[in-house]
Amino acid sequence: MSATFLGIPPFPEAARAAVDDSRLRHNLRKATHTIRDKRGAVVTELEEDWERLRSEGAAIKSHTLRHLDHYLEQLESSVERAGGHVHWAADAAEANAIVTRLVQATGETDVVKVKSMATQEIELNNALAEAGITAYETDLAELIVQLGDDLPSHILVPAIHLGRSQIREIFLDQMAEWGVAAPEGLTDDPRALAEAARVHLRERFLRTRTAISGANFAVADSGTLVVLESEGNGRMCLTLPETLISVVGIEKIVPTWADLEVFMQTLPRSSTGERMNPYTSTWTGVTPGDGPQEFHLVLLDNGRTDVLADTVGRQALRCIRCSACLNTCPVYERTGGHAYGSVYPGPIGAILTPQLRGMSSEVDEALPYASSLCGACYEVCPVAIDIPEVLVHLREEVAAGPGHLGEKAMMKGAEAVLGSSHALNAAQHAAGAARNLVPRHLPGMAGAWTDTRDLPDVPAESFRQWWNKHEKGQS
Amino acid sequence: MSTSRERVLARVRAALTDVPADEPVVRPVERPYADSHGMGAALEVLEDRLRDYKALVRRVPADRLAEEVAAALERRGASTVAVPEGVDADWFARTGAERRPDSRERPLELRELDGVDGVVTACAVAIAETGTIVLDGGADQGRRAITLVPDYHLCVVRADQVVDGVPQAVRRLDPARPLTWISGPSATSDIELNRVEGVHGPRTLEVLLVE
Ligand code: SF4
């Protein structure tokens, strides 16, 4: 994963002018609190079973990681037995080259894409563009982000930082350049905006013959790939084209088909706060006469084996990308996703990104400090990743590492920014304006938030008491 | 390609030196969690959840299914419907709607599918607690595309296909088949978290629960 996420691509002038910090914070706060409340309700509905599902989910993923070589080989043979082709990519460049070659073999220059963190991580769209292939994002939020020449800021709702009027502007300005134009007189009513997206994308779905996706799970024993989504754009991409290419991180494996019964209960509830997401598609190789007749699975390492090698940090690979930790994090709530300088924002980003990229830059060195260690992320995580434990572990590594310059600066920043809300707003504003400049403007801000090592690691009060007080204290 | 394969596998193995060689690769099959959560009678719960997702739901006695199918298509104003070839022809005994049969062997053209008013199918399993209907590509459910492209999906669910919880459904399903789990109509919450039903999939899901 490249460390230049923040600088590429630059925000368009118009979007930058329109983005107003207080608006962003308001949107973020409203969004994260809404999802958080919904999540709480549907999790409570399962009563004490929730904790059992959570620990079972953690156990399944931990077990898989401890025997990942075995399950990778098993997955490979099950997928091939079912008529799929398996490719291995050690890093982003290899994955991009494989996908580019596969698309070129179809003779197509347009591909449709299902929202996928893995392909964002490897910056696949840029690689395809260099080869003259246009990748069209089809998830509504990803479409907004793509049309706006913007960057996603949340795992689940990538356009969470944009308001409806900004989305309307983007549609009016950009849709025509990418295909079917936005209708005249488009309002900023979410229904109207969704309808515009439907019309814009339908032609594309019916015409495009190659699709690229990720996967939420890959089942080793059956060779089944699984994608959870809401809009139906996933189903469109996964079933209408002739060729399907799925780029999947090697940590997405679960051993058996039956294991899905755990994650199909925990992922939707943790993620959108729904009992179940509107659509889930599963496919096993190819099915004659139904769906793509050619299926390629690209298994992606790209730093994951480095994470695997760290016995403390390894647990980050259990992540099922539900985004519950983002929605509960007081730091994310104020900074938004762009501050993390990575496709993986929030608490999970703070532990996953520096491990994947190897903490060789100031951005990555600062990330383990992008937390107050309050523990809220651990409490909500459906696979019980002890994010605070990993953060502390990574901080130790940063402090022990050579060339470590960041910490003192962070402490200074923390004083300045945490000292008053006015200074905080100013820092966020500055960081916002610096988004398309050099990435190293950001750690100051992430670091500012972050270094609260003078807080006791184990608070005397319970987390919930602390949290309630903390919540009341801010608005 | 094989060199990358060997490289990744070698890295994985090198990363796992802490794992004892004799640690079993197979996990014992224990399911410490519940099959279901006692939320009430399956059909009631399913109906409640589907309504919560803004699906249309009707409980219908088996001997009135043909009338109810006809009435639903009439209400919708659906005069042409895609129908998987394996659907029981009796369902359509009372409707004047024109049926366009579809199968893997004789698929409708995509443009034709885009032009029909709706699609009528059966299902494989339904999960009460989550309000989920699962299609498995069986002869009465058809190719995945036919329940996706038309804007209206009328789905007939038999009472004996309804289970309480997710684990029970997973056990009934065959992973070798392509599965589509449907929980309400297509929806998005991407714009300021306002839920909008219907983006790319059918914007209306109507369920006939046959008792
Ligand atoms: S770390 Fe846990 S809570 Fe955060 S996204 Fe991953 S699975 Fe969800």
Side-chain angles (χ1 to χ4, degrees), chain A residues 280-435:
Chain A
T280 297
S281 299
T282 81
W283 70 98
T284 303
V286 295
T287 304
D290 185 354
Q293 295 302 293
E294 187 152 332
F295 170 57
H296 297 273
L297 171 62
V298 181
L299 291 169
L300 178 71
D301 178 349
N302 201 34
R304 284 158 178 74
T305 44
D306 295 332
V307 188
L308 192 66
D310 184 327
T311 52
V312 178
R314 178 183 297 165
Q315 56 185 311
L317 296 177
R318 297 208 296 253
C319 176
I320 54 174
R321 313 275 188 263
C322 72
S323 73
C325 58
L326 277 62
N327 298 328
T328 201
C329 177
V331 176
Y332 177 88
E333 183 181 316
R334 297 195 182 176
T335 60
H338 289 149
Y340 295 81
S342 154
V343 297
Y344 303 106
I348 180 61
I351 61 168
L352 191 57
T353 304
Q355 294 197 85
L356 285 173
R357 296 199 293 218
M359 293 201 286
S360 54
S361 73
E362 287 181 41
V363 176
D364 293 331
E365 279 199 339
L367 281 172
Y369 296 87
S371 164
S372 64
L373 296 182
C374 73
C377 48
Y378 168 66
E379 285 215 353
V380 296
C381 178
V383 284
I385 299 172
D386 193 340
I387 296 175
E389 181 192 14
V390 182
L391 286 166
V392 170
H393 169 71
L394 295 176
R395 288 182 189 188
E396 280 163 7
E397 259 181 45
V398 171
H404 170 55
L405 306 167
E407 193 165 1
K408 273 203 191 83
M410 281 175 225
M411 288 303 290
K412 268 171 84 180
E415 262 169 46
V417 173
L418 293 174
S420 83
S421 64
H422 180 75
L424 168 64
N425 291 348
Q428 284 185 302
H429 199 83
R435 269 183 205 133

Side-chain angles (χ1 to χ4, degrees), chain A residues 159-204:
Chain A
I160 198 170
H161 57 290
L162 296 173
R164 60 177 80 187
S165 58
Q166 292 167 304
I167 296 169
R168 171 179 171 271
E169 290 297 317
I170 291 170
F171 279 11
L172 286 170
D173 286 351
Q174 296 296 324
M175 268 187 172
E177 294 208 13
W178 289 78
V180 177
E184 269 181 51
L186 178 66
T187 69
D188 66 2
D189 174 13
R191 286 187 178 280
L193 295 169
E195 173 69 21
R198 179 183 173 97
V199 173
H200 177 78
L201 285 171
R202 181 145 286 228
E203 264 307 295
R204 174 107 34 232

Side-chain angles (χ1 to χ4, degrees), chain A residues 23 27 30-32 34-35 45-46 49 52-53 56 59-60 63 65-73 76 86-91 94 138-141 144 156-159 162-165 167 190-191 193-195 197-198 201-203 205-207 222 224 230-233 235-236 238-240 250 255 257-262 264-265 269 274-284 287-292 301-303 305 308-309 311 314, chain B residues 1-9 11-28 30-37 39 48-49 52-53 103-105 107 110-111 113-114 127-132 135-137 142-151 153 165-203:
Chain A
R23 168 64 172 277
N27 283 358
K30 181 182 155 221
T32 55
T34 306
I35 305 176
E45 194 174 276
L46 297 188
D49 212 29
R52 291 195 285 257
L53 286 165
E56 187 66 5
I60 292 168
H63 165 85
L65 291 168
R66 290 174 72 83
H67 302 280
L68 194 57
D69 50 338
H70 166 81
Y71 288 115
L72 277 165
E73 290 185 302
E76 177 186 46
V86 178
H87 311 261
W88 300 69
D91 55 30
E94 255 181 32
T138 64
D139 170 79
L140 177 52
I144 294 165
L156 178 75
V157 267
L162 296 173
R164 60 177 80 187
S165 58
I167 296 169
R191 286 187 178 280
L193 295 169
E195 173 69 21
R198 179 183 173 97
L201 285 171
R202 181 145 286 228
E203 264 307 295
F205 285 135
L206 297 183
R207 209 177 51 219
S222 60
T224 308
S230 293
E231 295 170 6
N233 66 303
R235 292 179 66 192
M236 289 279 184
L238 298 169
T239 55
L240 299 189
I250 55 176
W257 171 249
D259 294 328
L260 285 180
E261 68 199 32
V262 173
M264 289 305 293
Q265 294 187 81
R269 286 180 201 259
E274 294 169 299
R275 296 182 178 108
M276 192 65 87
N277 50 296
Y279 294 136
T280 297
S281 299
T282 81
W283 70 98
T284 303
T287 304
D290 185 354
D301 178 349
N302 201 34
T305 44
L308 192 66
T311 52
R314 178 183 297 165
Chain B
M1 196 170 80
S2 69
T3 56
S4 295
R5 179 184 190 279
E6 296 323 316
R7 208 154 110 219
V8 173
L9 283 171
R11 283 185 192 167
V12 170
R13 290 183 184 119
L16 294 172
T17 47
D18 62 303
V19 178
D22 58 352
E23 187 174 288
V25 177
V26 179
R27 293 178 69 238
E30 275 169 30
R31 296 204 172 92
Y33 47 86
D35 271 357
S36 68
H37 300 90
M39 292 174 181
D48 174 74
R49 304 300 193 246
D52 195 36
Y53 297 138
S103 68
R104 289 187 196 173
E105 295 74 27
L110 211 42
R111 299 282 165 183
L113 208 46
D114 194 29
I127 308 166
E129 281 180 8
T130 58
T132 304
L135 309 180
D136 75 353
R143 296 183 303 134
R144 285 170 282 175
I146 67 166
T147 50
L148 173 63
V149 177
D151 203 18
H153 179 193
V166 173
Q168 294 155 319
V170 168
R171 263 165 255 160
R172 281 199 191 189
L173 293 166
D174 176 0
R177 290 167 170 271
L179 306 179
T180 305
W181 300 39
I182 297 171
S183 307
S186 157
T188 183
S189 300
D190 280 345
I191 301 163
E192 295 183 5
L193 286 192
N194 291 284
R195 185 175 168 106
V196 177
E197 267 82 35
V199 192
H200 308 299
R203 285 181 284 193

